[in-house]
Amino acid sequence: MSEIGEAAKVVGLREAVAEIVRDGDSVALEGFTHLIPSAAGHEIIRQEKRDLTLIRMTPDLIYDQMIGMGCASKLVFSWGGNPGVGSLHRFRDAIENGWPNHLEIEEHSHAGMANRYVAGASNLPFAVMRGYVGTDLPRVTSTIKPITCPFTGEELMAVPALNPDVAIIHAQQADLRGNVALWGITGIQKEAALSARRVIVTVEEVVDEFVPQPFGIVLPSVAVDAVAVEPRGSHPSYADDYYDRDNVFYAAWDPIARDREKFRGWMERHVLGVETFTEHLRSIDKE
Amino acid sequence: MEQHAIGVGTVTDRLSSYRQRGSIALTGTVERDSYTTDEMMTVAASRELRDGVVCFVGIGLPSEAANLARATHAPDCFLVYESGTLGAKPDVLPLSIGDGVLAEHADSVVSVLEVFNYWLQAGRVDVGFLGAAQIDRFGNINTTVIGPYDDPKVRLPGAGGAPEIAASAKEVIVMLRHSPRAFVEELSFVTSVGYRHGGDSRKELGYSGNGPSVIITDLGVLRPDPETKEFTLTALHPGRTVDEASEATGWDLKVSDGVETTGAPTDEELRVLRELRERTERARGGQRA
């Protein structure tokens, strides 16, 4: 996180990713269905970041693309599907066949991941929860361990804090001082941002002043390192009050991702072959 | 909302009294051929939901069933989606768990952490819906992997919210199409706990939820034996046979004495369900719901 009192800087996304995301980092791009930071994912792919530990509750299309392009050596997650459509084929191909590289996995439940972010944001070594007992998850995931309550003697489960090197989220707005406002379904983004060492936020637009929104949250600029303006930067996810989820794209992704060559070709045309996310959106509109 | 007032037993009692009322209302309705097996499954599941319960909903058939219930006999059913929407009232079916339509008319929108800790783990959820890739005779569920974990034949999406729903919802309704690949003798992986090894073995785990109360399939309805907790065929949907259900089950399926017949979907249930699907399809730009 930033030095106390240092306001977030509004910069270009390319510059932010180049400076803040390093090879070998653990990186959490969060956004629970809503406000997924797709533009930042593409920038990481274009800059060929490697050996990342990708952290995210629901890998979604954004991690399907990053895994398929070889950015990740490890994935920490809780649900890896294409919501309402089916499989994430690049995620599956990496786990089932080691393509394009071996992918180590560390899997939890949603509750486990959420509690791990909270412990990280709270500067605690672990979180305590009810769950996992009787399932096979503790057998395959070494970051789930039983713990005895020192007050009641009750057996519970402990999960270690998540403190990613970098958290990246997308929000509707930033103001001129670099404060960030998001509303609608805000998932686990606040906790992910506050658990991380460095934070990038992409936003739909910069405004002079926020208008309070129902269920909205504001992430103060002292908790943010860089803000980059990326209109429609969540596509095919959505940004409440800006644009809807592109459900047709989620369905169209299935046959693209199913085939390695088709996937590579699509990524070359629409991600590697463009300079910005705005260009990417134009290029997929044409096809 | 009456989640604080309802004891676990009472929920079940009220559910069964609803079922009886439901079947009375069903006589002389549409014929089997005029609805699909998925529609029958959705309708049967929706009837399990009593008005006023707090219901934790997943995407797909469970969401369809819960919203059918809300649009028919259970207008005050309080829907919770894991994306953080409390009291969601979607007018079209969400494709994903976090569609904007869920937040739009919700009573509140909270963080994912709050949904799991303050609502589910705290015991505020009466009924949870679960799907599965595989289920065993004691209602344990696999959504993680087919084959060995380290060298999987099929990598499935994983746990999501399911383990805690299975642990902490007072009761769980499972919806799953009947097939020998889904109803298996032994799971590849236990993602979410049902009645574990049967009998009282779930109780040793210390979970507040009572476990799965029913499995609704496209062929019929299975409920746990009160002693052994083994799931037993208790009802068949109209026109379905015990043989069909047995063949679609990978273990030696027990059949209760006097298997009932599910009431066919009423005209009203079908009308509301189809309208919901049509609205959804239009909203998704022509995609199938």
Side-chain angles (χ1 to χ4, degrees), chain B residues 30 37 66 69 74 77 83 99 121 124 140 142 155 228 249 267 276:
Chain B
V30 285
T37 52
C77 175
S83 53
D99 276 20
Q121 187 169 269
R124 290 175 185 275
N140 302 298
N142 173 22
R155 174 64 223 197
T228 66
T249 306
D267 292 340
L276 184 63

Side-chain angles (χ1 to χ4, degrees), chain A residues 22-279:
Chain A
R22 295 156 202 166
D23 285 353
D25 273 354
S26 56
V27 184
L29 285 80
E30 279 294 355
F32 200 86
T33 301
H34 181 211
L35 295 173
I36 295 175
S38 308
H42 281 191
E43 192 53 43
I44 289 171
I45 292 169
R46 267 194 298 274
Q47 294 191 17
E48 297 183 348
K49 302 289 182 187
R50 287 292 176 269
D51 198 26
L52 302 177
T53 292
L54 293 180
I55 305 168
R56 189 174 154 75
M57 293 179 65
T58 57
D60 208 89
L61 271 46
I62 185 177
Y63 277 13
D64 211 33
Q65 295 175 352
M66 292 170 79
I67 290 165
M69 293 304 284
C71 299
S73 58
K74 182 175 176 182
L75 176 69
V76 183
F77 75 106
S78 44
W79 193 83
N82 181 345
V85 177
S87 290
L88 291 177
H89 298 289
R90 295 298 97 225
F91 155 89
R92 277 186 60 179
D93 201 14
I95 296 173
E96 292 170 12
N97 308 308
W99 194 93
N101 54 269
H102 173 72
L103 182 71
E104 188 188 340
I105 56 170
E106 178 180 329
E107 65 177 307
H108 279 262
S109 64
H110 283 345
M113 288 292 284
N115 278 288
R116 295 186 69 187
Y117 279 124
V118 171
S122 313
N123 189 26
L124 287 170
F126 64 89
V128 177
M129 52 185 286
R130 297 172 191 281
Y132 290 130
V133 187
T135 76
D136 282 336
L137 284 159
R139 183 169 62 76
V140 299
T141 303
S142 61
T143 47
I144 304 170
K145 299 271 187 221
I147 188 166
T148 306
C149 170
F151 304 105
T152 63
E154 190 180 357
E155 284 276 325
L156 299 157
M157 280 293 187
V159 289
L162 278 171
N163 289 107
D165 293 316
V166 183
I168 305 178
I169 63 171
H170 186 75
Q172 280 98 337
Q173 295 175 347
D175 69 10
L176 295 168
R177 292 179 299 154
N179 299 304
V180 169
L182 53 160
W183 62 87
I185 291 169
T186 52
I188 201 72
Q189 287 100 302
K190 182 171 70 176
E191 290 78 5
L194 293 174
S195 74
R197 294 178 183 89
R198 305 185 292 276
V199 178
I200 301 172
V201 183
T202 54
V203 295
E204 289 298 321
E205 62 174 336
V206 173
V207 297
D208 292 340
E209 205 175 326
F210 295 143
V211 176
Q213 300 286 341
F215 317 122
I217 57 178
V218 172
L219 192 62
S221 70
V222 291
V224 178
D225 294 281
V227 173
V229 181
E230 286 290 339
R232 293 186 72 209
S234 256
H235 179 271
S237 169
Y238 69 104
D240 241 0
D241 294 328
Y242 285 81
Y243 47 93
D244 292 335
R245 192 171 187 269
D246 189 348
N247 288 327
V248 173
F249 186 89
Y250 272 89
W253 180 249
D254 186 85
I256 296 167
R258 203 177 273 273
D259 181 83
R260 289 176 186 172
E261 290 311 307
K262 210 169 170 184
F263 165 75
R264 280 294 314 197
W266 192 93
M267 293 301 291
E268 271 159 28
R269 284 198 306 285
H270 300 299
V271 180
L272 299 179
V274 300
E275 304 249 315
T276 65
F277 200 68
T278 304
E279 272 185 41

